[in-house]
Amino acid sequence: MMLGLYSPQRGRISKTRMTNQTVAALLALVVTLAACGKNDAPAAAGAGSAPGSGPSAGGGPPVSVSTVPAQQRDFEVQLEATGTVTALNSVDVKPQITSTISKAHIREGQFIKAGQLLFTLDARTEETNVARARAALQKNLAALADAQRQLARSKELFAQNFVSQVAVDQNQTLVEAQQAAVAADRAALQAAQVELSHSRIVAPNSGRAGIVNVFPGTLVQPSSPPLVTITQLDPIAVTFNLPQRHLGDALQSLRTGGGSVTAVLPEGRGTLIGKLAFVDNSVDANSGTVKVRAVFDNRDEKLWPGAFVGVKLAVRTLKDAIIVPHAAIVQSARGRIVYVVEPGNKAGMRQVELLHAAGQDAVVSGVKPGERVVLDGRENVRPGGALVERPADASNGTRGGRGSAPAPAGGQPA
């Protein structure tokens, strides 16, 4: 019986054959996969060209949009701020002497005219001082008359050489001294009369009376709290702050006679038109703002001291400006753009520059007057794409106006 002998050379040959077969199989698999990839490439390319996926989707379905025509008109540039209503004239009425209240002649909330009697104080002490001063004046007037008679007689006697010049000079000195005493008495009488007049407290200005803090019998003195505060309501002022970058506009408006200022009352209670009257002489270093004041007619008492109101200051007018809704502007990687409806109901893209924005209006350049600007549905619009305009009343947007904050910008272009 013969046994087979193992040959090392034969084992190496078998391993080499197995390796070659494995490599051939891998190469065949790679070729097969490459062929499948080439066959699938057109399908993938077709899928990548789906409507709306590229920058130009002219072959996609039409996009439903609402449009607003770009308007050309004069646009008033306004600076907006929050102001505080302040009285042009508000006076705390206080007594100038120490006394007691005899009578109050006004009621709280009453409208008062300048010079109207407000309070009467106990004036018995002041009346006594006036009488004493008047009596002292009469006494010195009598002494002056006697001195003048003595001087006249001494002059006659001197002319007849019965008295010397010294006697005449003495009488002259006496007359002059009495004249000075009379002048002092008259001044004292006037001072007493002034003190007496302080017992009648009259209104220094016209306005509305506030809370009356005293009653008959109340002891008052100059250091006491105010008896009443009188506040002028018509006309009235609104004070507000402007950033210092707008100082030049405010000063220019003031030099031309005072720009128009609109006060917007809270809760939709209307507006009032006033005039710029004052710009402060310095900028607040802490806030970087300058204080500005406007004056308003307030016959209807719509403005009340201390209340907050919105303020719009007109500083200049942009002539023949192109105006579109602020919400129609799209912020893209290439800057601000708007979509417009071109002939054939195709979407066109316009690069715009925002010149000014106020409320829902935006002043731009880059759009022609009358072009239909896409407002609602702009998120789905692509340049060259088909558009279908829906009625304006069916849109959720607005056509732009004043008085409300700008709407957020739309979607991003491709």
Side-chain angles (χ1 to χ4, degrees), residues 73-90:
R73 58 181 171 85
D74 294 344
F75 187 88
E76 195 175 59
V77 177
Q78 296 181 334
L79 305 179
E80 299 186 6
T82 299
T84 304
V85 181
T86 57
L88 290 175
N89 197 352
S90 182

Side-chain angles (χ1 to χ4, degrees), residues 113-177:
K113 296 181 180 180
Q116 181 176 338
L117 181 62
L118 304 178
F119 302 96
T120 301
L121 305 182
D122 184 2
R124 289 175 294 179
T125 302
E126 287 70 25
E127 290 173 350
T128 302
N129 292 335
V130 169
R132 182 184 298 113
R134 187 174 286 117
L137 175 61
Q138 294 299 326
K139 176 182 177 181
N140 284 325
L141 284 173
L144 175 61
D146 181 67
Q148 289 173 338
R149 289 193 295 269
Q150 294 294 336
L151 177 60
R153 282 195 293 269
S154 64
K155 288 181 177 180
E156 291 176 358
L157 294 174
F158 176 74
Q160 298 174 7
N161 294 324
F162 287 111
V163 295
S164 65
Q165 182 65 40
V166 174
V168 176
D169 293 340
Q170 289 177 346
N171 288 328
Q172 181 66 39
T173 301
L174 182 60
V175 167
E176 292 175 355

